[in-house]
Amino acid sequence: MKKNDNVIVLTLGCSKNVVDSEKLIGMLSANGFTLTEDIRKAKTCIINTCGFIKPAVEENLQVVLDVVNRKIQGELERVIVSGCMVERFKESLINEFPEVDLFVGVESAEQIVRFLKPDDDFRINLIGGRQLLTPNHYAYLKISEGCNRECSFCAIPKIRGLLRSKPIEELLDETKKLSEKGVKELIIISQDTSSYGVDLYGKPMLIPLLEELTKVEGIEWIRLMYLYPAGLPEGLIEFVQNEPKMCKYFDIPLQHISDRILKSMRRGTTKKRTIELIEKIRTKIPNAVIRTTLIVGYPGETEQEFKELMQFISDYELDRVGVFTYFREDGTYAFPLGDTVPEDIKNLRREEILKLQSQISLRKNNALVGKKLKVLIDEKKNGVFAGRTEFDAPEVDNLVYVRAQKHKVRVGDFVEAIIARAKHYDLYGEVC
Ligand code: SF4
């Protein structure tokens, strides 16, 4: 192996890509490569890409171009491009970037390592060999790959393939290893968490999986993300209600509320059933937080249908809301519908929802002033600790800024904090 074989891995896109990169980095280290976070020190650069929607693709192409230019200037010896963008556009990427040494799709860690060390013996280092890119006290657990659903706007099934659930034993092993590394919060991710197990076991197996994961010592919080609304496993809400380690947190992407649009989106649910689900969660677990994502500007979305969505948000006051404008993506079922809502209208609608939601969020945060909350400390900035409650996922939800005058607090600690002040998306408090 050549002396300076520093490798840098650039991870773009979602938390599922983060897990893929963590496995790749673990395998590179196990095979003797040195990882660097400084591209000037690297000889090999691997870009793990996202290819989900147009703006992400444009951003990723820019990163590839920058890195290829570094190679042309002799700063890098090898460039490898992997991930979702390659799954979608491999042929055109090969033509556009002949300087790139290897293009590989998703889940390609072994292929990449074998390419970088063709002669040397290869060490597999699978289970637990992840090198976390998140702070050591929380980690994502990707329980399956791919998706069997056919949401009309979505290209992911074409990128990541059909649903492939990972065996419970394998996930349990991975979780034990993560706990040994100091992980306290386990964030369950996939494309469609509700469907876990239907491929491998012929029936939904999310609850049996969670029953095993909650037994792992050291894991104190388990958070569920990407729950498909029309397929929530029977008994899941009650399981979350009764299991102390389960965060009272439901990330359920709803996308819209109008029955005509939900039908066109092939979401397999209705306004009535969506409202029933929200009410059931709130009845069983009154303090539960519901996060969702919505799409505005879907082909044919009328002003009336948008108003219906606004009314729904206003009436049901979801706790955390992300809003995307619709992107017409090649190869999706919605592609033939065209892109009928003008961009400025899409952006206006997105702004209107965010404005309404910020008022809802402020009201809910103000109601927490004076309350004592359990906070997991993620980082320390300028003497102030920033953390999250069980009601907030990393990167996307609210932060809690806490001062710890008299207490010794470290990153990764759980603390009790009294909330003194609130803003739209952040809370401020004191460790008690
Ligand atoms: S559930 Fe729908 S939106 Fe999510 S990855 Fe599958 S097809 Fe795409």
Side-chain angles (χ1 to χ4, degrees):
M1 190 175 316
K2 283 192 288 339
K3 183 148 167 13
N4 177 351
D5 220 311
N6 287 5
V7 179
I8 184 168
V9 177
L10 304 179
T11 303
L12 305 166
C14 69
S15 52
K16 282 139 266 183
N17 253 14
V18 169
V19 174
D20 293 350
S21 289
E22 290 175 343
K23 289 193 171 159
L24 170 60
I25 292 167
M27 212 177 273
L28 285 163
S29 307
N31 283 279
F33 290 92
T34 308
L35 279 295
T36 175
E37 287 176 17
D38 181 348
I39 195 163
R40 294 162 302 173
K41 294 201 180 99
K43 279 301 162 213
T44 300
C45 177
I46 304 168
I47 311 163
N48 187 9
T49 64
C50 169
F52 158 56
I53 49 175
K54 198 151 156 277
V57 173
E58 285 161 1
E59 184 201 321
N60 283 245
L61 285 172
Q62 190 53 51
V63 173
V64 175
L65 188 60
D66 295 347
V67 171
V68 161
N69 284 337
R70 282 177 180 272
K71 184 181 177 193
I72 293 168
Q73 282 144 25
E75 294 169 27
L76 287 167
E77 279 178 21
R78 287 173 296 197
V79 176
I80 295 173
V81 180
S82 70
C84 295
M85 189 170 70
V86 180
E87 290 286 352
R88 276 190 92 180
F89 306 113
K90 189 169 185 177
E91 295 324 308
S92 53
L93 287 168
I94 290 172
N95 299 333
E96 198 171 338
F97 299 106
E99 304 83 358
V100 169
D101 299 273
L102 178 69
F103 283 103
V104 282
V106 297
E107 293 195 296
S108 52
E110 185 174 337
Q111 217 180 331
I112 291 171
V113 176
R114 285 186 185 281
F115 173 81
L116 290 174
K117 52 180 291 187
D119 319 324
D120 293 12
D121 60 339
F122 171 78
R123 290 192 213 97
I124 194 81
N125 179 44
L126 266 180
I127 298 290
R130 287 166 56 179
Q131 285 201 8
L132 297 182
L133 292 170
T134 55
N136 262 349
H137 56 271
Y138 74 80
Y140 297 106
L141 184 73
K142 185 162 70 165
I143 63 174
S144 64
E145 188 52 88
C147 183
N148 291 354
R149 310 246 178 209
E150 300 181 333
C151 305
S152 65
F153 51 83
C154 183
I156 293 174
K158 289 200 173 48
I159 297 173
R160 295 243 167 193
L162 291 177
L163 179 70
R164 307 179 299 289
S165 300
K166 299 204 166 76
I168 291 181
E169 303 71 34
E170 190 182 307
L171 293 168
L172 195 52
D173 254 5
E174 193 169 344
T175 301
K176 286 178 182 156
K177 291 247 163 41
L178 290 172
S179 167
E180 283 157 17
K181 286 176 194 271
V183 169
K184 298 174 180 176
E185 177 187 5
L186 197 67
I187 305 167
I188 307 293
I189 60 169
S190 72
Q191 309 298 351
D192 172 8
T193 299
S194 298
S195 297
Y196 173 75
V198 293
D199 57 316
L200 190 58
Y201 303 102
K203 59 183 178 180
M205 287 290 278
L206 183 58
I207 297 173
L209 169 65
L210 295 172
E211 280 166 350
E212 292 306 313
L213 299 182
T214 51
K215 293 177 192 151
V216 177
E217 242 180 83
I219 299 291
E220 295 187 33
W221 278 358
I222 298 181
R223 183 182 307 282
L224 290 169
M225 304 204 69
Y226 305 100
L227 287 164
Y228 195 86
L232 231 73
E234 201 53 47
L236 182 68
I237 298 170
E238 291 77 5
F239 181 83
V240 172
Q241 176 188 18
N242 302 322
E243 171 49 59
K245 286 190 177 184
M246 294 304 298
C247 294
K248 306 305 176 256
Y249 179 95
F250 294 86
D251 170 41
I252 308 176
L254 296 174
Q255 310 303 3
H256 213 285
I257 199 62
S258 131
D259 281 327
R260 185 194 72 79
I261 292 187
L262 287 171
K263 190 157 185 283
S264 174
M265 283 181 165
R266 300 173 173 231
R267 293 292 287 175
T269 191
T270 62
K271 180 174 185 173
K272 183 168 173 298
R273 285 172 52 203
T274 302
I275 289 169
E276 283 165 1
L277 173 61
I278 292 167
E279 288 175 343
K280 183 176 178 190
I281 291 172
R282 292 212 163 131
T283 309
K284 297 266 180 195
I285 318 174
N287 70 337
V289 150
I290 301 175
R291 150 168 272 283
T292 197
T293 45
L294 303 169
I295 294 176
V296 292
Y298 183 80
E301 183 188 57
T302 62
E303 191 56 31
Q304 192 42 45
E305 285 162 340
F306 174 65
K307 284 207 170 69
E308 185 183 359
L309 184 58
M310 286 287 278
Q311 193 58 51
F312 165 71
I313 294 164
S314 171
D315 294 346
Y316 289 88
E317 294 203 340
L318 299 177
D319 307 274
R320 317 273 186 263
V321 175
V323 191
F324 289 92
T325 56
Y326 172 75
F327 282 95
R328 187 183 182 210
E329 291 296 327
D330 259 337
T332 60
Y333 291 101
F335 188 83
L337 301 175
D339 198 355
T340 61
V341 180
E343 285 308 313
D344 57 345
I345 300 290
K346 289 181 190 173
N347 294 328
L348 266 177
R349 288 176 181 173
R350 181 172 180 274
E351 291 313 313
E352 271 192 61
I353 291 182
L354 291 175
K355 201 160 132 238
L356 171 61
Q357 186 59 28
S358 72
Q359 293 313 314
I360 293 169
S361 183
L362 180 60
R363 226 183 1 266
K364 286 177 181 259
N365 279 351
N366 276 330
L368 295 172
V369 173
K371 294 260 174 29
K372 187 159 75 171
L373 297 177
K374 183 176 178 178
V375 176
L376 178 56
I377 301 295
D378 284 335
E379 57 180 356
K380 185 178 186 181
K381 257 197 216 142
N382 318 327
V384 175
F385 292 96
R388 292 168 294 110
T389 70
E390 70 173 295
F391 307 117
D392 299 293
E395 315 278 338
V396 289
D397 291 333
N398 296 1
L399 287 177
V400 188
Y401 294 96
V402 289
R403 286 188 180 286
Q405 312 293 14
K406 301 185 228 51
H407 304 270
K408 193 160 174 357
V409 170
R410 290 158 307 171
V411 170
D413 283 356
F414 280 107
V415 299
E416 297 285 336
I418 299 275
I419 304 304
R421 205 158 46 84
K423 282 191 179 170
H424 293 83
Y425 296 111
D426 296 318
L427 297 171
Y428 301 80
E430 190 82 30
V431 172
C432 59

